[in-house]
mmCIF file of all heavy atoms in Angstrom:
data_model
loop_
_atom_site.group_PDB
_atom_site.id
_atom_site.type_symbol
_atom_site.label_atom_id
_atom_site.label_comp_id
_atom_site.label_asym_id
_atom_site.label_seq_id
_atom_site.Cartn_x
_atom_site.Cartn_y
_atom_site.Cartn_z
ATOM 1 N N PRO F 149 -5.517 -19.973 -5.902
ATOM 2 C CA PRO F 149 -6.916 -20.342 -6.016
ATOM 3 C C PRO F 149 -7.527 -20.146 -7.442
ATOM 4 O O PRO F 149 -8.367 -20.947 -7.837
ATOM 5 C CB PRO F 149 -7.646 -19.454 -5.005
ATOM 6 C CG PRO F 149 -6.598 -19.031 -4.035
ATOM 7 C CD PRO F 149 -5.299 -18.970 -4.838
ATOM 8 N N GLU F 150 -7.010 -19.120 -8.096
ATOM 9 C CA GLU F 150 -7.619 -18.802 -9.428
ATOM 10 C C GLU F 150 -7.251 -19.866 -10.442
ATOM 11 O O GLU F 150 -7.852 -19.916 -11.520
ATOM 12 C CB GLU F 150 -7.032 -17.461 -9.855
ATOM 13 C CG GLU F 150 -7.449 -16.283 -8.982
ATOM 14 C CD GLU F 150 -6.584 -16.084 -7.743
ATOM 15 O OE1 GLU F 150 -5.654 -16.900 -7.536
ATOM 16 O OE2 GLU F 150 -6.833 -15.127 -6.991
ATOM 17 N N ASP F 151 -6.240 -20.736 -10.199
ATOM 18 C CA ASP F 151 -5.779 -21.733 -11.126
ATOM 19 C C ASP F 151 -6.190 -23.179 -10.733
ATOM 20 O O ASP F 151 -5.771 -24.128 -11.404
ATOM 21 C CB ASP F 151 -4.256 -21.691 -11.262
ATOM 22 C CG ASP F 151 -3.741 -20.539 -12.095
ATOM 23 O OD1 ASP F 151 -4.494 -20.070 -12.969
ATOM 24 O OD2 ASP F 151 -2.641 -20.086 -11.829
ATOM 25 N N MET F 152 -6.929 -23.337 -9.717
ATOM 26 C CA MET F 152 -7.193 -24.705 -9.163
ATOM 27 C C MET F 152 -7.594 -25.701 -10.231
ATOM 28 O O MET F 152 -8.508 -25.459 -11.002
ATOM 29 C CB MET F 152 -8.318 -24.573 -8.108
ATOM 30 C CG MET F 152 -7.882 -24.148 -6.758
ATOM 31 S SD MET F 152 -9.230 -24.383 -5.581
ATOM 32 C CE MET F 152 -10.392 -23.153 -6.152
ATOM 33 N N THR F 153 -6.912 -26.878 -10.138
ATOM 34 C CA THR F 153 -7.333 -27.994 -10.982
ATOM 35 C C THR F 153 -7.684 -29.172 -10.121
ATOM 36 O O THR F 153 -7.889 -30.287 -10.608
ATOM 37 C CB THR F 153 -6.189 -28.382 -11.933
ATOM 38 O OG1 THR F 153 -5.050 -28.672 -11.183
ATOM 39 C CG2 THR F 153 -5.882 -27.269 -12.944
ATOM 40 N N THR F 154 -7.722 -28.948 -8.806
ATOM 41 C CA THR F 154 -7.961 -30.058 -7.870
ATOM 42 C C THR F 154 -9.451 -30.316 -7.706
ATOM 43 O O THR F 154 -10.299 -29.561 -8.222
ATOM 44 C CB THR F 154 -7.383 -29.650 -6.467
ATOM 45 O OG1 THR F 154 -7.882 -28.409 -6.107
ATOM 46 C CG2 THR F 154 -5.895 -29.642 -6.491
ATOM 47 N N SER F 155 -9.759 -31.434 -7.076
ATOM 48 C CA SER F 155 -11.160 -31.833 -6.853
ATOM 49 C C SER F 155 -11.944 -30.734 -6.060
ATOM 50 O O SER F 155 -11.464 -30.227 -5.110
ATOM 51 C CB SER F 155 -11.191 -33.132 -6.042
ATOM 52 O OG SER F 155 -12.511 -33.404 -5.624
ATOM 53 N N ARG F 156 -13.173 -30.474 -6.554
ATOM 54 C CA ARG F 156 -14.022 -29.562 -5.842
ATOM 55 C C ARG F 156 -15.284 -30.274 -5.455
ATOM 56 O O ARG F 156 -16.418 -29.689 -5.467
ATOM 57 C CB ARG F 156 -14.375 -28.345 -6.748
ATOM 58 C CG ARG F 156 -13.177 -27.531 -7.199
ATOM 59 C CD ARG F 156 -12.292 -27.063 -6.062
ATOM 60 N NE ARG F 156 -12.942 -26.066 -5.220
ATOM 61 C CZ ARG F 156 -12.457 -25.618 -4.086
ATOM 62 N NH1 ARG F 156 -11.336 -26.149 -3.598
ATOM 63 N NH2 ARG F 156 -13.081 -24.689 -3.395
ATOM 64 N N SER F 157 -15.141 -31.552 -5.063
ATOM 65 C CA SER F 157 -16.317 -32.324 -4.556
ATOM 66 C C SER F 157 -16.885 -31.647 -3.344
ATOM 67 O O SER F 157 -16.183 -31.027 -2.552
ATOM 68 C CB SER F 157 -15.835 -33.724 -4.239
ATOM 69 O OG SER F 157 -15.376 -34.399 -5.376
ATOM 70 N N ALA F 158 -18.177 -31.773 -3.223
ATOM 71 C CA ALA F 158 -18.898 -31.200 -2.079
ATOM 72 C C ALA F 158 -19.382 -32.328 -1.176
ATOM 73 O O ALA F 158 -19.869 -33.353 -1.655
ATOM 74 C CB ALA F 158 -20.084 -30.378 -2.529
ATOM 75 N N TYR F 159 -19.243 -32.162 0.136
ATOM 76 C CA TYR F 159 -19.573 -33.180 1.110
ATOM 77 C C TYR F 159 -20.603 -32.632 2.085
ATOM 78 O O TYR F 159 -20.494 -31.496 2.524
ATOM 79 C CB TYR F 159 -18.307 -33.631 1.873
ATOM 80 C CG TYR F 159 -17.241 -34.150 0.969
ATOM 81 C CD1 TYR F 159 -16.281 -33.284 0.404
ATOM 82 C CD2 TYR F 159 -17.130 -35.491 0.634
ATOM 83 C CE1 TYR F 159 -15.285 -33.783 -0.429
ATOM 84 C CE2 TYR F 159 -16.153 -36.002 -0.173
ATOM 85 C CZ TYR F 159 -15.230 -35.144 -0.758
ATOM 86 O OH TYR F 159 -14.269 -35.587 -1.578
ATOM 87 N N ARG F 160 -21.543 -33.470 2.445
ATOM 88 C CA ARG F 160 -22.691 -33.016 3.229
ATOM 89 C C ARG F 160 -23.066 -33.926 4.367
ATOM 90 O O ARG F 160 -22.666 -35.106 4.394
ATOM 91 C CB ARG F 160 -23.938 -32.798 2.354
ATOM 92 C CG ARG F 160 -24.498 -34.081 1.766
ATOM 93 C CD ARG F 160 -25.672 -33.832 0.864
ATOM 94 N NE ARG F 160 -26.878 -34.577 1.249
ATOM 95 C CZ ARG F 160 -28.052 -34.505 0.656
ATOM 96 N NH1 ARG F 160 -28.207 -33.705 -0.378
ATOM 97 N NH2 ARG F 160 -29.072 -35.189 1.124
ATOM 98 N N ILE F 161 -23.816 -33.373 5.320
ATOM 99 C CA ILE F 161 -24.442 -34.216 6.366
ATOM 100 C C ILE F 161 -25.938 -34.105 6.165
ATOM 101 O O ILE F 161 -26.470 -33.146 5.645
ATOM 102 C CB ILE F 161 -24.028 -33.722 7.804
ATOM 103 C CG1 ILE F 161 -24.403 -32.256 8.015
ATOM 104 C CG2 ILE F 161 -22.549 -33.963 8.051
ATOM 105 C CD1 ILE F 161 -24.194 -31.758 9.438
ATOM 106 N N ASP F 162 -26.655 -35.168 6.606
ATOM 107 C CA ASP F 162 -28.092 -35.203 6.524
ATOM 108 C C ASP F 162 -28.619 -36.190 7.593
ATOM 109 O O ASP F 162 -27.812 -36.633 8.479
ATOM 110 C CB ASP F 162 -28.581 -35.583 5.139
ATOM 111 C CG ASP F 162 -27.923 -36.859 4.605
ATOM 112 O OD1 ASP F 162 -27.720 -37.799 5.383
ATOM 113 O OD2 ASP F 162 -27.580 -36.911 3.383
ATOM 114 N N VAL F 163 -29.856 -36.514 7.565
ATOM 115 C CA VAL F 163 -30.407 -37.358 8.618
ATOM 116 C C VAL F 163 -29.787 -38.762 8.666
ATOM 117 O O VAL F 163 -29.756 -39.432 9.731
ATOM 118 C CB VAL F 163 -31.955 -37.493 8.490
ATOM 119 C CG1 VAL F 163 -32.599 -36.126 8.704
ATOM 120 C CG2 VAL F 163 -32.348 -38.073 7.124
ATOM 121 N N ASN F 164 -29.348 -39.255 7.517
ATOM 122 C CA ASN F 164 -28.703 -40.563 7.460
ATOM 123 C C ASN F 164 -27.201 -40.464 7.679
ATOM 124 O O ASN F 164 -26.568 -41.490 8.009
ATOM 125 C CB ASN F 164 -28.950 -41.231 6.088
ATOM 126 C CG ASN F 164 -30.429 -41.471 5.881
ATOM 127 O OD1 ASN F 164 -31.112 -41.982 6.757
ATOM 128 N ND2 ASN F 164 -30.924 -41.112 4.663
ATOM 129 N N ASN F 165 -26.643 -39.319 7.616
ATOM 130 C CA ASN F 165 -25.210 -39.080 7.836
ATOM 131 C C ASN F 165 -25.080 -37.854 8.673
ATOM 132 O O ASN F 165 -24.724 -36.742 8.186
ATOM 133 C CB ASN F 165 -24.485 -38.899 6.497
ATOM 134 C CG ASN F 165 -24.683 -40.077 5.556
ATOM 135 O OD1 ASN F 165 -23.998 -41.069 5.733
ATOM 136 N ND2 ASN F 165 -25.627 -39.932 4.614
ATOM 137 N N PRO F 166 -25.362 -37.934 9.973
ATOM 138 C CA PRO F 166 -25.402 -36.746 10.843
ATOM 139 C C PRO F 166 -24.070 -36.107 11.168
ATOM 140 O O PRO F 166 -23.015 -36.717 10.967
ATOM 141 C CB PRO F 166 -26.129 -37.268 12.122
ATOM 142 C CG PRO F 166 -25.703 -38.728 12.165
ATOM 143 C CD PRO F 166 -25.645 -39.181 10.734
ATOM 144 N N GLY F 167 -24.147 -34.920 11.689
ATOM 145 C CA GLY F 167 -22.951 -34.181 12.124
ATOM 146 C C GLY F 167 -23.336 -33.117 13.074
ATOM 147 O O GLY F 167 -23.413 -31.925 12.708
ATOM 148 N N SER F 168 -23.586 -33.489 14.298
ATOM 149 C CA SER F 168 -24.145 -32.478 15.284
ATOM 150 C C SER F 168 -23.131 -31.384 15.579
ATOM 151 O O SER F 168 -23.520 -30.295 15.922
ATOM 152 C CB SER F 168 -24.506 -33.242 16.579
ATOM 153 O OG SER F 168 -25.476 -34.234 16.340
ATOM 154 N N ASP F 169 -21.862 -31.705 15.562
ATOM 155 C CA ASP F 169 -20.841 -30.702 15.838
ATOM 156 C C ASP F 169 -20.825 -29.639 14.739
ATOM 157 O O ASP F 169 -20.849 -28.457 14.987
ATOM 158 C CB ASP F 169 -19.429 -31.301 15.998
ATOM 159 C CG ASP F 169 -19.266 -32.558 15.198
ATOM 160 O OD1 ASP F 169 -20.003 -32.785 14.201
ATOM 161 O OD2 ASP F 169 -18.374 -33.405 15.574
ATOM 162 N N LEU F 170 -20.843 -30.073 13.481
ATOM 163 C CA LEU F 170 -20.841 -29.168 12.346
ATOM 164 C C LEU F 170 -22.187 -28.362 12.302
ATOM 165 O O LEU F 170 -22.114 -27.117 12.153
ATOM 166 C CB LEU F 170 -20.682 -29.957 11.050
ATOM 167 C CG LEU F 170 -20.829 -29.136 9.760
ATOM 168 C CD1 LEU F 170 -19.753 -28.052 9.646
ATOM 169 C CD2 LEU F 170 -20.781 -30.066 8.546
ATOM 170 N N ALA F 171 -23.307 -29.027 12.462
ATOM 171 C CA ALA F 171 -24.611 -28.335 12.443
ATOM 172 C C ALA F 171 -24.715 -27.406 13.653
ATOM 173 O O ALA F 171 -25.220 -26.251 13.524
ATOM 174 C CB ALA F 171 -25.723 -29.355 12.433
#
Side-chain angles (χ1 to χ4, degrees):
E150 298 83 359
D151 284 332
M152 277 189 293
T153 57
T154 51
S155 167
R156 301 305 291 172
S157 297
Y159 302 88
R160 67 183 234 177
I161 57 173
D162 52 39
V163 294
N164 297 314
N165 304 281
S168 301
D169 30 21
L170 174 63

